Amino acid sequence: MSKQTIEKLRELMRAHNIDAWMVTSADYHDSEYSGEYFRLRSYLSGFTGSAGTLVVMEHEAGLWTDGRYFVQAAIQLEGSGITLYKSGQKGVPTIQEFLLEKLPENGCLGFDGRTVGQEYFLELKEKLSVKSIRFSLLEDLGGKVWEDRPALSCKKIWILDAEKYSGMTTQEKLEKVRECMRKAGATVHLLTSLDDIAWLFNIRGADVTCNPVALSYAAVTMKDAILFVQEAAADADVRAQLEKQGVAVKPYEAIYDYTAAIAPEETVLLESSRVNCAIYAKLPENISIVNQMNPETVLKAVKNPVEQKNIIEAHKKDGVAMVKFICWLKQNIGKIPMTEMSAAAYLDQKRSEQEGYLDLSFGTIAAYGANAAMCHYSATPETDTELKQEGFFLVDSGGQYLEGTTDVTRTIVLGPVTEKQKLHYTLVLKGMIALASARFMYGCTGANLDILTRGPLWQYGLDYNHGTGHGVGYLLNVHEGPNRIHWNARRGSAIIEPGMLTSDEPGMYLEGEYGIRTENLILCKEMEENEYGRFLKFDTVTLVPIDKDAIDLSMLTQAEIDWLNQYHERVYETLAPCLKPEEADWLREACRRI
């Protein structure tokens, strides 16, 4: 299939005088997950991994992907005529380096500009400028060769009740955004990030897997607000509710004509790293642009009192589902057949039984033994591993509830573990407790706090190759900015504000052996203000017992023991009334004092 479709693409490239065509994995909004409509790279190449970029030229083609997919890509590309380029490996050219070498002087690089961000486009232009490369970014040649392409997702939009769930009306949010526009000197604000749009207009949808958002664009001026959505996605009731909040609804693709018609004297506020280059190209020449983080990103990161109250309830429901799962797992391991996928399916079912549950917040990561050493392992029928009465089983999962979004990781002991495993498990636990217990001055960023979690591991010359924490949305994306806990000053640069919900998830991974991660969500709160300044703290909102069977108690301080006992007391008191008697009995033992 891939050889035939690529030949058809080459015919179109010749007709349009295009020397190279690039196909990314992104949708029009650079969402974390892309729907079936946007799997063009998979259709053309035969490679089905979630990350990768295809470049097609007249006499050769290459596909770039990361280490998660080297083996899969090699198998799926076999016989296709497409060369696999293993990103980040020694001697492997980047896409930009490849294009710089292969494209002729004054050649043309083409791609669907709706799937390429403006910042990456600027990087390409700069890199290729020495050859005076031209660009074609307003065509979708690849889509023209895709027969029976799936329809663009168009799920029904619904309104999130402001009083009960979101805590603010759209009118109130618009006024906050307009105040940010005034400070920035902007008169028009363009918005393409789906979670920011959903937050601003109190809408939710189902167009992106695990993210309750709708395919949409938005524009805000000092007088008007426009939501661009597919006409079938917004029924009469939704339109009426939006109009009452001062929001006009227009067709999804109308954003391009709207952008082109912005008057030259206007000043446009946008975040270029989150705007596709096709929209950017429509802006009138010489128009004033304020390129900065979308104000919605910061505003939605700080959860209001209604959202904070609901978040507690969401985690109570999620805790019930997790306890039912862990109880079942512990009591049945070795008695009934279990695999990573069957265990994950049982957990997903327990979540779906909770009132107000809508969906998973991401695909459940269920990784046994050596598989857990791969941080973002996802079990497939080919890799699905049987669970045994030994070692660690890492489960990272979460749900979308009307009351909020959850994300929790537990490393569960299924049987005997080694002293080395206990050491690493305890170091990870110490780091998680240290961040959860932090008291810090207002103005601290994630980079200031990260050492609290890595410190115990660093003392042993150990580390983990991922961030310590990410922001979490309210019934939105499980990964949300700007808050992040990371030692890198750039990645962890946002000030931690009261009301921000962040993950606390140190880990330890030994390739070929095992992986460990313990994750809770923590909500930033005011602590006190005195003559030394303003102090903040974290409240842990996740309510799931932490497996004590792998803890080396001799390594814990009395303060850490007290934290763990107090946490487990709260878990038991909160969840036991929601469980069956036999589940509550199991939880009592799991939460016993140490």
Side-chain angles (χ1 to χ4, degrees), residues 307-343:
E307 291 174 321
Q308 291 186 38
K309 179 182 177 182
N310 286 335
I311 284 167
I312 302 301
E313 181 64 22
H315 283 83
K316 178 180 176 181
K317 294 178 179 181
D318 206 61
V320 169
M322 282 292 294
V323 166
K324 288 177 177 288
F325 165 70
I326 300 174
C327 174
W328 167 83
L329 182 68
K330 288 274 195 175
Q331 293 179 345
N332 289 285
I333 185 68
K335 299 177 182 177
I336 63 175
M338 289 185 192
T339 68
E340 294 167 329
M341 293 181 72
S342 69

Side-chain angles (χ1 to χ4, degrees), residues 492-510:
S493 62
I495 291 175
I496 305 299
E497 301 276 358
M500 284 182 168
L501 183 64
T502 312
S503 68
D504 173 6
E505 50 179 312
M508 178 65 204
Y509 311 92
L510 287 184

Side-chain angles (χ1 to χ4, degrees), residues 68-69 71-72 75 338-342 344 364-372 374 376-388 393:
R68 293 173 295 169
Y69 297 112
V71 175
Q72 177 184 340
I75 294 171
M338 289 185 192
T339 68
E340 294 167 329
M341 293 181 72
S342 69
T364 297
I365 297 171
Y368 178 62
N371 290 339
M374 297 177 276
H376 297 97
Y377 168 80
S378 179
T380 66
E382 292 75 27
T383 65
D384 192 18
T385 301
E386 180 184 1
L387 306 187
K388 300 178 181 178
F393 181 37

